[in-house]
Structures are given as structure tokens and as C-alpha cells.
């Protein structure tokens, strides 16, 4: 019996070539995945290092009015932000209207600022409820002032004075959420400011 060694050798060589090619593909695939993972880790590190650093000061000016100054301190390598959007956050109490009535809707509850301060409606594109101003750009080392004022009880809170309302937030912070963007990058930063003692207007 003649064994076709030439054919067998060719087949073995072909199989070896397939195995080698598959091995090379797997190695390349692992290498690509490793490179992607390293690149992702590096990007997350770079993104964290560029997290905006702010100094935020709230100063009352009298009669329930105040000015908040948002100053971008760094890091220097950030250079600038294309936009900074600030919103006043609510307290931790969840509020769901179980029995809607003509005078009060869930939309009223959602729009109301449940905290001691809101932005002054109408100034700097601030919405009618005082939740926040229009976004604005900032360069590292610069700041922007915005007008704020003490909140008042909702129109449905019959008999509740502003003094009683503000008393509910005595010692509670002013909560802010800053959404910062530069190009495709975004940072969401939460801050709490000290709430100055409420002094009713004389």
C-alpha cells in the first residue's frame, strides 16, 4: 500500500497554517482589547483629573435678596468650560400628589423650589420658578455672579408665612447641582452651601 505522504504533508501544513493564523488572530484580538481597556482607563483618569474645582459663595444683600458667585478655580489644565448650568436642588422629601385638585397639581409641586433659596426669576434667563439661570461659559480663574432670593411658601399653603416656611429650613443647606461641559466631556458636581439665619424684613 502506497501512503500519499505528499498529500498528508500538505494537509498537515495547511492545518498548521490555519492553527497559526487563528492563534495570531486571537493574540491580535487580545492585544486590541487590552489596548482599548488601557485607553478607557487612561481617559477616565484624564477626565477625573480635569474635574472642575469651584469656590461658591452666597452673600445676602438684605430684604431676602442675595448674590451667589460661582468661581472656577481650576485645574489649570482644564483652561475653560464651554458651559456651566446651575440648578437649585430640592430637599430629600419625596412629594407626590395623591389627590389632585383644581388649585394644586403635581406640576405645581414639581416646579416649586423646596429649599431656602432660589434664583431670582427673570434675571440672566432664570426660569419663572427660580430653578436656575441659563448656562454660561467660564474660564479658569474667573467667576460669574447670579441673583438669588429667599423662597416663599407655595400658593396653596394657606396661612403659612414666609417666616414659618423659612423656619423649616433653618440649618438646612442650599443645594446646588452644576452640570459642566467642555466639548464632549461632562461633569456633574453637587455642592451644599450654608444657609444663613433667616431674618424677616422689618
Amino acid at each position: 500500500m502506497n501512503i500519499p505522504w505528499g498529500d498528508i504533508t500538505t494537509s498537515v501544513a495547511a492545518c498548521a497554517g490555519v492553527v497559526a493564523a487563528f492563534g495570531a488572530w486571537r493574540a491580535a484580538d487580545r492585544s486590541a482589547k487590552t489596548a482599548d481597556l488601557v485607553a478607557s482607563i487612561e481617559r477616565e483618569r484624564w477626565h477625573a483629573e480635569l474635574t472642575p474645582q469651584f469656590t461658591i459663595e452666597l452673600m445676602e444683600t438684605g430684604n431676602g435678596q442675595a448674590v451667589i458667585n460661582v468661581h472656577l478655580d481650576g485645574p489649570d489644565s482644564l483652561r475653560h468650560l464651554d458651559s456651566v448650568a446651575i440648578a437649585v436642588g430640592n430637599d430629600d422629601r419625596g412629594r407626590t400628589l395623591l389627590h389632585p385638585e383644581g388649585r394644586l397639581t403635581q406640576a405645581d409641586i414639581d416646579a416649586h423650589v423646596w429649599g431656602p433659596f432660589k434664583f431670582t426669576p427673570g434675571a440672566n434667563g432664570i426660569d419663572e420658578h427660580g430653578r436656575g439661570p441659563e448656562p454660561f461659559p467660564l474660564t479658569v480663574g474667573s467667576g460669574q455672579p447670579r441673583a438669588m432670593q429667599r423662597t416663599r411658601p407655595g400658593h396653596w399653603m394657606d396661612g403659612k408665612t414666609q417666616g414659618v416656611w423659612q423656619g423649616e429650613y433653618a440649618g438646612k443647606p442650599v443645594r446646588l447641582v452644576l452640570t459642566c461641559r467642555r466639548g464632549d466631556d461632562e461633569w456633574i458636581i453637587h455642592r451644599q452651601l450654608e444657609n444663613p439665619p433667616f431674618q424677616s424684613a422689618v
Side-chain angles (χ1 to χ4, degrees):
M1 178 178 178
N2 292 326
I3 299 175
W5 293 109
D7 292 344
I8 293 174
T9 302
T10 301
S11 298
V12 170
C15 289
V18 170
V19 171
F22 179 72
W25 173 81
R26 285 199 64 184
D29 183 58
R30 282 196 300 266
S31 178
K33 287 180 178 177
T34 299
D36 289 344
L37 179 60
V38 170
S40 176
I41 292 172
E42 182 63 18
R43 174 153 184 80
E44 289 179 6
R45 182 187 65 79
W46 175 82
H47 187 268
E49 288 180 352
L50 287 182
T51 299
Q53 301 164 3
F54 290 97
T55 296
I56 305 174
E57 296 179 329
L58 177 67
M59 297 167 288
E60 283 200 279
T61 57
N63 296 321
Q65 305 301 309
V67 173
I68 188 172
N69 190 63
V70 180
H71 189 274
L72 181 59
D73 298 329
D76 290 339
S77 53
L78 177 64
R79 297 187 302 195
H80 73 279
L81 290 169
D82 297 330
S83 72
V84 179
I86 314 175
V88 182
N90 291 330
D91 58 30
D92 287 331
R93 298 178 219 165
R95 293 178 174 84
T96 301
L97 187 61
L98 298 178
H99 305 289
E101 52 187 67
R103 189 163 172 240
L104 176 63
T105 65
Q106 186 64 47
D108 292 324
I109 292 175
D110 294 341
H112 191 71
V113 175
W114 298 88
F117 278 89
K118 66 179 182 179
F119 287 92
T120 303
N124 301 116
I126 296 169
D127 64 88
E128 62 178 309
H129 306 293
R131 184 65 66 183
E134 289 181 344
F136 52 89
L138 267 184
T139 301
V140 170
S142 67
Q144 285 279 345
R146 291 293 182 266
M148 297 193 81
Q149 63 186 42
R150 292 274 182 181
T151 55
R152 293 183 174 275
H155 64 78
W156 62 90
M157 301 179 190
D158 295 328
K160 181 173 285 191
T161 66
Q162 188 184 21
V164 171
W165 166 261
Q166 284 290 328
E168 294 179 6
Y169 290 101
K172 306 281 181 66
V174 181
R175 298 182 175 191
L176 300 175
V177 181
L178 294 87
T179 302
C180 309
R181 292 187 175 90
R182 194 189 74 168
D184 294 330
D185 291 304
E186 179 183 85
W187 297 266
I188 298 178
I189 298 169
H190 297 260
R191 292 289 180 270
Q192 294 190 4
L193 306 182
E194 183 179 352
N195 175 23
F198 173 69
Q199 296 181 356
S200 58
V202 178

